[in-house]
């Protein structure tokens, strides 16, 4: 399973890249706005200098024509830019057109298996089911993820399943168990993946014993 960073923060992206786990990056308008008054295209370019894998830049137009304009413009920022379109009728029309022009599209805001089928039919390169946001409303986001993976396995669609809105290590582990192609993970959750109290305790004990025996 590939790891994408679900952040627009350059320090976080650099830190994850240093661990060798930044296979790509997903941004969205909320994540970009957290970075303050940055120029959008320059910021995406800066991310693309750190990460060579897919970097998602999201359209903010609500109309197909506007998404096409933005998509074509953002695709010129760097060869690894992927255009994010929402799972709306206008977004899927834009997905179809941009994909046919050779521009990769990540279809975002997917909350049902039916929507995931429509995105694959439109030629999306990635489908992003939002696991955590379904959990937030009392549904089970992981059930949707499994449904999409099962359905996609029946066909030769090129669309990769990108598990999004990941809130915990359990989400990451379960996505890996199901065979999701990619998980896009906030830095906080990446950090949690390293942790185990017995590792800390064991390491402290080993070093204490080493020094107690007079070694340096
Ligand atoms: C990914 O592409 C999405 O932008 C992201 O996973 C949304 O996550 P959230 O529900 O934590 O905002």
């Amino acid at each position: 399973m590939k790891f994408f960073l679900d952040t627009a923060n350059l320090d976080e992206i650099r830190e994850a890249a240093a661990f060798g786990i930044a296979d790509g990056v997903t941004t969205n308008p909320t994540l970009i706005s957290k970075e303050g008054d940055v120029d959008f295209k320059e910021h995406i370019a800066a991310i693309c200098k750190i990460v060579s894998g897919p970097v998602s830049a999201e359209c903010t137009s609500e109309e197909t024509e506007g998404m096409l304009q933005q998509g074509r413009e953002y695709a010129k920022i760097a060869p690894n830019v992927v255009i994010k379109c929402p799972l709306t009728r206008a977004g899927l029309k834009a997905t179809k057109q941009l994909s046919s022009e050779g521009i990769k599209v990540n279809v975002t805001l997917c909350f049902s298996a039916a929507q995931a089928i429509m995105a694959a039919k439109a030629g999306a390169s990635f489908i992003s089911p939002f696991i955590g946001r379904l959990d937030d409303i009392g549904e089970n986001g992981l059930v949707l993820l499994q449904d999409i993976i099962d359905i996609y396995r029946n066909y030769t669609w090129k669309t990769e399943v990108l598990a999004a809105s990941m809130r915990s290590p359990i989400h990451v582990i379960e996505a890996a168990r199901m065979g999701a192609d990619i998980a896009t993970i906030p830095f906080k959750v990446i950090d949690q993946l390293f942790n185990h109290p017995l590792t800390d305790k064991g390491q402290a004990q080993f070093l204490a014993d080493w020094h107690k025996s007079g070694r340096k």
Side-chain angles (χ1 to χ4, degrees), residues 41-56:
K41 288 199 280 179
E42 284 174 14
H43 200 76
I44 294 292
I47 295 173
C48 291
K49 280 197 183 132
I50 305 170
V51 173
S52 60
V55 172
S56 288

Side-chain angles (χ1 to χ4, degrees), residues 6 26-28 84 106 108 128 130 133 164-167 184:
D6 203 15
T26 51
T27 69
N28 63 36
K84 239 185 185 184
N106 172 4
T108 189
S128 290
F130 276 34
R133 290 195 195 187
S165 188
M166 306 291 267
R167 300 275 165 77
T184 188

Side-chain angles (χ1 to χ4, degrees), residues 7-199:
T7 179
N9 184 274
L10 299 181
D11 290 336
E12 290 183 350
I13 294 167
R14 280 191 204 100
E15 178 79 358
F19 286 117
I21 54 168
D23 299 314
V25 172
T26 51
T27 69
N28 63 36
T30 302
L31 293 171
I32 293 286
S33 70
K34 283 185 187 163
E35 298 310 302
D37 192 22
V38 293
D39 176 89
F40 177 64
K41 288 199 280 179
E42 284 174 14
H43 200 76
I44 294 292
I47 295 173
C48 291
K49 280 197 183 132
I50 305 170
V51 173
S52 60
V55 172
S56 288
E58 187 155 343
C59 293
T60 49
S61 172
E62 293 185 81
E63 311 301 328
T64 302
E65 202 46 51
M67 289 184 215
L68 291 176
Q69 274 176 21
Q70 290 181 324
R72 289 170 186 143
E73 191 182 328
Y74 301 159
K76 288 184 195 144
I77 298 172
N80 52 329
V81 166
V82 169
I83 305 307
K84 239 185 185 184
C85 291
L87 216 156
T88 58
R89 286 169 178 76
L92 290 191
K93 282 183 195 164
T95 298
K96 170 78 189 148
Q97 181 57 33
L98 291 170
S99 301
S100 72
E101 294 174 22
I103 295 171
K104 289 191 171 178
V105 178
N106 172 4
V107 175
T108 189
L109 291 168
C110 172
F111 294 98
S112 79
Q115 290 180 322
I117 292 169
M118 296 306 280
K121 297 289 287 175
S125 293
F126 305 95
I127 181 67
S128 290
F130 276 34
I131 310 309
R133 290 195 195 187
L134 278 171
D135 292 358
D136 289 345
I137 61 159
E139 293 191 28
N140 187 340
L142 288 170
V143 169
L144 171 64
L145 183 62
Q146 184 71 71
D147 282 348
I148 295 171
I149 290 169
D150 289 346
I151 291 167
Y152 277 23
R153 278 197 182 126
N154 291 331
Y155 303 99
T156 54
W157 295 330
K158 59 166 188 163
T159 315
E160 291 189 81
V161 180
L162 199 176
S165 188
M166 306 291 267
R167 300 275 165 77
S168 69
I170 297 291
H171 280 161
V172 179
I173 293 163
E174 291 307 314
R177 193 192 310 280
M178 290 172 197
D181 298 296
I182 306 149
T184 188
I185 313 170
F187 190 79
K188 183 180 147 218
V189 176
I190 296 265
D191 205 43
Q192 290 171 343
L193 295 174
F194 290 101
N195 294 340
H196 198 287
L198 290 181
T199 303

